[in-house]
Amino acid sequence: MRTSPASIDHLEHKGETLVEVNNLVKYFPVRAGLLQRVVNQVKAVDDVSFSVKKGETLGMVGESGCGKTTVGRTMLRLIEPTSGAVKFDGRDVFSMKAQELKIVRRDMQIIFQDPYASLDPRVPIGESVMEGLHIHKIGTAKERVEIMLETLKKVGLEDYHARRYPHEFSGGQRQRIGIARALALRPRFIICDEPVSALDVSIQSQVLNILKDLQQEFGLTYLFIAHNLSVVEHVSNRVAVMYLGKMVELTSREELFRNPMHPYTQALMSAIPVPNPRLKRQRTILKGDVPSPLNPPKGCRFHPRCPVAMEICSQEEPQFKELRPDHWVACWVAEQNLQA
């Protein structure tokens, strides 16, 4: 058993690392009064570290408000961080000037959760897909059109769709457009921010299959943010579990679904429907509501709702430790169970 070091550099991964997130912190100031002084901080992301290997899909799960989307947007500097570091292919994203960051963003793209809100309703979708090509001055005008049409075909759309506007498409088609827009620049790393959460189940499977096919064809690396553990199990190589701005568990997909060690992960697992009416899963019902990130609990942030919390859980914050090979957990109870 090893204690997690201050930096992710010491984490031992078998594959070559593409993205490293070190001690990422993002606090949003709360202002009040006539002078709008800062009176508190919303601790959206609080000291999160992980890495993503080349060609893999890292799933990130947790309840609404746990900081998943903030992690993804801060990694791309769509939101400026409070502290920490993100390295892409060895280069520090947070220290880059505007021009260097613009170049790196060709390789780092995002698929937004709400495709309709992320598309300009006054612009045909072909123009939206080509926007990144224009900004980065890729190819001639004719070549950009060819790239756009080819990319639309990759996600299952036809040439004539390029002249239509966002309101003329269904939800599943709009999500395909979002994928095409992220793919047009041929990036190496894509953050998928709950790309199927608003879609019907039948459409979800189509979009997930498109993402997997594109990953194999272009060698893409994904950070896949989701609520649905069944979806994460289908697409991920490794899974990270977040709770109230903290990382509580990180391991391979097989290990997590076979042996979840953190009580929060176990509660999430117990909520997965069983596709057999004769079998009933033992549910773990969490008590109370998620605490406010304005004033998170002392010690382990999960302890007010934890069914197996001990006295130390409310006093000291557990460290993120490798309790099993490549299985990292921040939990006093899991650590004690392993030692028993």
Side-chain angles (χ1 to χ4, degrees):
M1 183 175 70
R2 300 199 301 274
T3 302
S4 175
S7 171
I8 202 73
D9 293 335
H10 295 82
L11 292 179
E12 297 176 2
H13 292 309
K14 296 176 182 178
E16 190 176 353
T17 299
L18 180 65
V19 183
E20 296 179 15
V21 178
N22 295 308
N23 310 111
L24 182 63
V25 175
K26 178 57 186 176
Y27 292 170
F28 292 96
V30 177
R31 302 179 184 275
L34 187 63
L35 299 178
Q36 290 293 290
R37 291 194 176 97
V38 177
V39 295
N40 208 337
Q41 302 272 1
V42 176
K43 299 175 176 62
V45 179
D46 198 359
D47 194 21
V48 168
S49 296
F50 61 92
S51 68
V52 189
K53 303 176 208 173
K54 289 182 179 178
E56 82 162 344
T57 299
L58 175 65
M60 183 172 285
V61 298
E63 291 173 288
S64 296
C66 72
K68 308 184 298 297
T69 295
T70 304
V71 167
R73 295 190 176 208
T74 307
M75 288 171 66
L76 299 181
R77 278 181 66 181
L78 299 178
I79 302 173
E80 288 297 326
T82 301
S83 65
V86 171
K87 291 183 180 180
F88 178 77
D89 211 9
R91 294 174 289 175
D92 188 353
V93 176
F94 291 170
S95 65
M96 290 179 179
K97 303 296 183 183
Q99 189 59 35
E100 187 181 5
L101 181 62
K102 179 182 176 181
I103 295 171
V104 168
R105 277 184 171 159
R106 284 186 59 176
D107 289 328
M108 302 174 70
Q109 292 291 306
I110 185 170
I111 300 169
F112 292 100
Q113 179 177 357
D114 185 350
Y116 190 62
S118 64
L119 293 170
D120 190 334
R122 300 164 297 179
V123 175
I125 65 104
E127 291 293 328
S128 293
V129 173
M130 286 193 294
E131 185 176 9
L133 302 174
H134 287 301
I135 291 172
H136 291 279
K137 297 180 172 61
I138 296 173
T140 63
K142 182 179 179 181
E143 289 170 340
R144 290 168 191 163
V145 173
E146 290 174 354
I147 293 172
M148 178 267 293
L149 294 176
E150 180 189 354
T151 306
L152 288 178
K153 287 181 180 178
K154 293 288 185 186
V155 298
L157 297 174
E158 300 298 332
D159 293 0
Y160 61 84
H161 286 130
R163 298 184 295 274
R164 294 185 178 179
Y165 290 83
H167 73 272
E168 299 180 74
F169 294 93
S170 67
Q173 288 176 318
R174 284 198 287 262
Q175 195 58 277
R176 293 177 188 219
I177 296 165
I179 294 171
R181 189 171 57 171
L183 190 67
L185 291 169
R186 298 298 183 262
R188 297 162 62 194
F189 176 60
I190 298 179
I191 294 175
C192 306
D193 185 10
E194 303 192 33
V196 297
S197 62
L199 305 179
D200 293 337
V201 174
S202 59
I203 306 300
Q204 283 185 15
S205 62
Q206 294 177 17
V207 172
L208 292 175
N209 289 332
I210 287 172
L211 289 172
K212 293 190 77 172
D213 291 342
L214 293 172
Q215 183 176 37
Q216 292 178 358
E217 183 175 352
F218 296 105
L220 297 172
T221 303
Y222 292 144
L223 174 64
F224 194 95
I225 298 169
H227 284 106
N228 192 329
L229 275 168
S230 299
V231 170
V232 170
E233 184 180 15
H234 179 66
V235 301
S236 302
N237 301 107
R238 292 187 301 142
V239 182
V241 183
M242 285 191 66
Y243 182 80
L244 206 62
K246 289 280 190 181
M247 192 83 76
V248 297
E249 192 159 3
L250 173 62
T251 187
S252 68
R253 174 192 61 199
E254 295 82 4
E255 174 69 10
L256 188 83
F257 282 85
R258 182 176 61 246
N259 181 31
M261 299 182 70
H262 197 284
Y264 177 61
T265 310
Q266 293 168 1
L268 292 179
M269 294 289 184
S270 74
I272 300 175
V274 180
N276 187 335
R278 297 180 180 179
L279 295 178
K280 290 189 177 180
R281 193 187 296 271
Q282 185 65 39
R283 285 294 309 273
T284 301
I285 307 298
L286 299 179
K287 56 186 178 182
D289 298 322
V290 180
S292 170
L294 278 168
N295 186 26
K298 182 182 177 183
C300 174
R301 297 190 174 185
F302 184 59
H303 86 264
R305 306 174 71 200
C306 182
V308 293
M310 306 183 296
E311 185 176 351
I312 190 174
C313 300
S314 61
Q315 303 299 321
E316 296 182 36
E317 184 177 335
Q319 292 180 307
F320 205 46
K321 293 183 178 180
E322 189 177 28
L323 300 186
R324 295 180 185 274
D326 291 327
H327 194 152
W328 296 78
V329 188
C331 179
W332 292 115
V333 176
E335 189 176 339
Q336 185 186 68
N337 291 341
L338 200 66
Q339 294 172 347

